[in-house]
Amino acid sequence: LLFMEESPAGPVRLEDLSGGGADLHNFMLETIRRYAPVAGVPGWTTDDKAITWQHQIPNLQMAMLDASIFPEPLVFQPGRPGLSYDNDSRSVSWAEPAEVDDDVSHPDSHSCPGKDLSVQMISAFIQELARSGPWEAVSEGI
């Protein structure tokens, strides 16, 4: 994304993310919103006290492109309201809405227990990649 010709990330460069912090976090959230690593999460639902069941696969990729929540959804805009370092209340990328009282350890929570770890891993990787450069694309025609 950072090395693509006419990248949707626009003027953001790898060097801009080397310090971590809010800029890197916002870039990560917007990248995940735009290019969801997990497109759907399958599950079974019932509305008749478990007499019949329906298999459903909510599409996270489409939810994160909902124009009523994310205006101009195809535009890459790190730091969107509700999807930023200070407030990620609109994120569904780690199934946050399935948490009970913001507690992933609650017995009725069903969100990703590895969210904090995955955020730290992505952040550490990008920072180390930036620091070990400079990097140059062999071809920007990706």
Side-chain angles (χ1 to χ4, degrees), residues 25-33 83-85 88 94:
H25 193 85
N26 293 344
F27 180 84
M28 175 198 63
L29 288 176
E30 184 66 358
T31 301
I32 291 170
R33 182 197 69 80
L83 202 61
S84 66
Y85 181 78
D88 67 355
W94 288 272

Side-chain angles (χ1 to χ4, degrees), residues 7 10 23 36 47-48 54 60-61 66 69 89 91 100 107 109 117 120 131 133-134 136 141:
S7 170
D23 288 340
D47 56 8
D48 59 9
Q54 296 80 38
L60 300 180
Q61 176 71 55
D66 184 343
I69 305 298
S89 61
S91 174
V100 175
S109 284
L117 177 61
Q120 293 302 318
R131 290 177 185 152
E136 185 177 313

Side-chain angles (χ1 to χ4, degrees), residues 71-103:
E72 298 182 272
L74 299 180
V75 175
F76 194 87
Q77 297 175 356
R80 289 175 179 266
L83 202 61
S84 66
Y85 181 78
D86 296 325
N87 176 1
D88 67 355
S89 61
R90 291 185 171 172
S91 174
V92 296
S93 297
W94 288 272
E96 295 96 326
E99 287 182 1
V100 175
D101 297 327
D102 291 323
D103 179 9

Side-chain angles (χ1 to χ4, degrees), residues 109-122:
S109 284
H110 299 286
S111 66
C112 178
K115 177 182 179 180
D116 291 339
L117 177 61
S118 64
V119 167
Q120 293 302 318
M121 289 172 65
I122 292 167

